[in-house]
Amino acid sequence: MKPVHLLPLGLFVLIAAALAVGLTLKPRDIPSALIGKPVPAFALAPLHESESPFTDEDLKDGKARIVNVWASWCVPCVAEHPILTDLTAAGVSVYGINYKDKPEDARLFLRRLGDPFAKIGVDPDGRTSIEWGVYGVPETFVVSGDGVIVYKTISALTRETVNSEILPLLKELNGGAE
Amino acid sequence: MLGSVPEIGHYALTLALGMAILAASLPMIGAARGDRRLIALSGPLTFGQLFFIGIAFASLTYSFVVSDFSVLTVAMNSHSAKPMLYKISGVWGNHEGSLLLWAFILALFASAVALFGSGLPAAFRARVLSVQAAIGVGFLLFMLLTSNPFDRLDPPPLDGNGLNPLLQDPGLAFHPPILYLGYVGFSIAFSFAIAALIEGKVTPAWARWVRPWTLTAWSFLTAGIALGSWWAYYELGWGGWWFWDPVENASFMPWLAGTALLHSVLVVEKRGAMKSWTILLAIMAFSLSLLGTFLVRSGVLTSVHAFAVDPARGVFILGFLALVIGGSLTLFAMRAHKLQPGGFFQPISREGALVFNNLILVTAVATVFFGTLYPLFLDALTGEKISVGAPYFKATFVPLMMPLILAMAIGPMMAWKRADLAGVLGRLKLAAGLTFIVVIIAAWQVTGGMTMALVGVALGTWLAAGVIGDLAGRIKLFRVPLGTSLRRAVGLPRNQWGVTLAHLGMAVAILGMTGAESWTTERLVVVREGEVVELAGYEFRFDGAEPVAGPNYTALRGHFSVFRDGELVTRLAPEDRTYANPRMQTTEAAIHSLFLGDLYAVIGDPDGSGGWSARLYIKPLVSWMWAGAGLMVFGGMLSISARRVRRKHSVRAGQPSPSAQAAE
């Protein structure tokens, strides 16, 4: 056996160990450090010019809702879009944070796919999103009526997550009525 | 009877697993003991696996075709109103079905080796097929334990969830099977490598056997990647074609490793050198193919594509990966010293050029690998979350390719063993001059300091000129009468044409990428009927919009007439589609490809007062990218066909034909 022939195996073991650690972290289930904490103070310009800015005060009106962080350049955002549309149709209040996007691209995206958001704030440099603990799009938060983040999920929403986790949570937060 | 088709499929899958376990063990033991009866089981067991996996695949296809929504996979991914093409492509448009397709193709390749491998020593072939079957055991177990495609749903829903309309596209319907033919094709090179390690020898005959299989896998992978990129270009509606997304990288890494393998196998075949390196590349190409499946299917990386997220499955795949890659690399560490190093060569030689090619390609693999997995490592070590995007890859990968492309024009002109670099460079004077002139013209035509664009043009032109110069040299163009040159061209070995076309395809693709990246012009406008929009010398006249109905969607279709200097070039009819199930809007861009560029139009919504939003692009040279990929695939296929002819020939001659030495 020549030592040089052990090199590939050694490299692989290192990579596999890192992968194993990464995998056991289960990226989807990482509890956000922000869960249970009030939403950070923020004020975002509206995407649609006629609307008022989106601020943390909007999330403290007594109604629990979903805040979805999205961008027009993100493919899973396209995939989860019908789910958001259905949520809005079912009476859920969905607010959006448009992440690192060009406003005209974002508006075109919504014109093409429909606009499920009751309110959208523009976060062109992602600074507000960082305070929310966002590291990619899409991410979805459930915020209680007094402005506390109670739930977070990353990557595209699935009907399964919505039905088994998000909807029951919203129902509970809104006192059984939606 | 027909109601229990899914159970038949499930049962067949279980039987296939049993067959695979037998095929992975008995012939392997037979080869070790020299037991002919056990070795002889290899062929029938291989065909048996294909037969049973084929039945399972047919069962699932049947369930999709008749829309049997009591099958979970069908209910989740299909819909009764979907066109037949997409019902069928729905079979592999999901996690479970795509694994079944993987296993089916694996069995298909194994059977091809059993069928066409009569020239191989029986014990060696048995070992190859046993390794192949062992991989199959992993996939079948994975399916039966974590991702059974035949799970039932009770009570069945009235209708299915439908397939994401973005995926309802002819380009994407065939993208996964072609990509998988590429991924799984590398399993053959892998199985040959493992069998060679077990036997402790790598011969030129081994390389002659591995090369066509590697070429096949490489050609399919090239086609698959190009198809995926083409789909992104016309379906996503913003004209991008490569995003350095982890899923794209996952298919790109085996391609890079496979390209390196293709070239190093050549050295083993012609000169008997670089043996253990070639074995390592074969292991690497297939490991990266497995990793490609792993990255997409486990959700380890939160990617813009990673729809399938399920850590439990990931744990299985990680264990499987550790076994396959760790096992093969352990075997490599134990046995590689047995491989006798072969012919020696000077640094300046064809071999030297191929070593250079390999070093750069492997570095490129490492670069892409690092960029793709770095976020995961960082996460594992520090918990910090970052994403690595296109800027990293543009800053690292692109400069790495420059010396490779420069050398690509030189390498094929070098002689084996020892080459005359000065002589070769002398022959490239014309190519250098031509490159210089084209760059000057490009710099003059295009304003602004677009250094990268000029570098791209320079590399593309240099390579194309180098390849054509090499061809001209081989057929003695302008040095003998034209008729003689033509006869020489026809007489060139087919694999020489393969090399020429594949390298030329690369040059064409580079020019296409350069044009698309650097010279695209775009306008976002609101147009009214009859209005004319000017863009890069073309006039787009909007002729109105109308509603149209498709099989499972309704659409708004806009009409544009495009003029150049007052003459009609083409009419474009982009659509804005609304699908019923699942409810979703998609953009169907209208694209007209001209030799020098694409006209690309996207229609949006009305503004309510007679105007329509629209997006218009001129994308110079973009179709050259796919034309280049097509040339590469054609070159690969040509080379494969040449090898079969030669093998028949050499079998007749009873020994390797000396004429083969002249090629490549």
Side-chain angles (χ1 to χ4, degrees), chain A residues 1 5-6 8-9 12 15 18-21 23 25 27-28 30 72 76 78-79 82 105 108 111-113 135 155, chain B residues 166 238 300 304 309 314-315 318 325-326 329-330 332-333 336-337 369 376-377 379-380 385 583-585 587 605 615:
Chain A
M1 197 187 295
H5 291 147
L6 271 170
L9 183 63
F12 170 72
I15 293 166
L19 268 175
V21 175
L23 192 71
L25 287 178
R28 264 164 68 92
I30 287 180
S72 68
V78 179
D105 287 349
L108 191 75
R111 272 205 296 277
R112 260 170 47 203
L113 302 181
Y135 55 85
S155 91
Chain B
L166 277 176
W238 53 80
V300 175
V304 303
V309 181
V315 169
L318 189 68
I325 307 174
L329 290 178
T330 307
F332 177 80
H337 66 280
F369 185 85
L376 186 71
F377 292 149
D379 189 9
K385 303 278 187 189
R583 195 160 182 80
M584 192 161 157
Q585 265 179 297
T587 300
D605 285 344
R615 217 179 242 235

Side-chain angles (χ1 to χ4, degrees), chain B residues 33-174:
Chain B
R33 289 195 189 151
D35 185 335
R36 287 219 185 130
R37 279 171 310 160
L38 289 181
I39 290 176
L41 283 176
S42 172
L45 283 173
T46 301
F47 295 127
Q49 286 174 71
L50 178 67
F51 178 73
F52 286 115
I53 298 178
I55 287 186
F57 194 76
S59 305
L60 189 63
T61 308
Y62 174 82
S63 297
F64 267 90
V65 167
V66 301
S67 295
D68 180 355
F69 296 123
S70 72
V71 178
L72 183 63
T73 316
V74 181
M76 295 292 286
N77 299 291
S78 196
H79 189 275
S80 53
K82 220 164 53 164
M84 186 50 77
L85 172 66
Y86 303 121
K87 283 186 182 169
I88 292 171
S89 70
V91 175
W92 53 75
N94 60 82
H95 170 77
E96 290 81 4
S98 65
L99 285 171
L100 187 55
L101 180 70
W102 221 103
F104 182 59
I105 294 175
L106 190 75
L108 210 61
F109 272 110
S111 300
V113 171
L115 204 62
F116 301 118
S118 51
L120 286 169
F124 182 77
R125 192 182 57 193
R127 284 187 165 119
V128 169
L129 292 175
S130 280
V131 178
Q132 195 79 4
I135 303 166
V137 171
F139 270 85
L140 291 167
L141 262 181
F142 183 47
M143 254 186 284
L144 289 167
L145 292 180
T146 74
S147 325
N148 184 359
F150 300 105
D151 271 349
R152 288 281 200 171
L153 196 59
D154 185 41
L158 283 176
D159 216 326
N161 270 353
L163 177 73
N164 186 335
L166 277 176
L167 308 181
Q168 294 191 26
D169 176 271
L172 212 63
F174 297 107

Side-chain angles (χ1 to χ4, degrees), chain B residues 230 233-234 538 569-572 590-600 619 621-624 626-627:
Chain B
W230 185 49
Y233 171 69
Y234 71 75
Y538 289 88
V569 180
T570 184
R571 292 181 206 280
L572 296 173
I591 303 171
H592 181 74
S593 291
L594 297 165
F595 182 67
L596 284 174
D598 279 13
L599 309 171
Y600 190 112
K619 294 185 160 286
L621 304 186
V622 66
S623 50
W624 288 31
W626 298 292

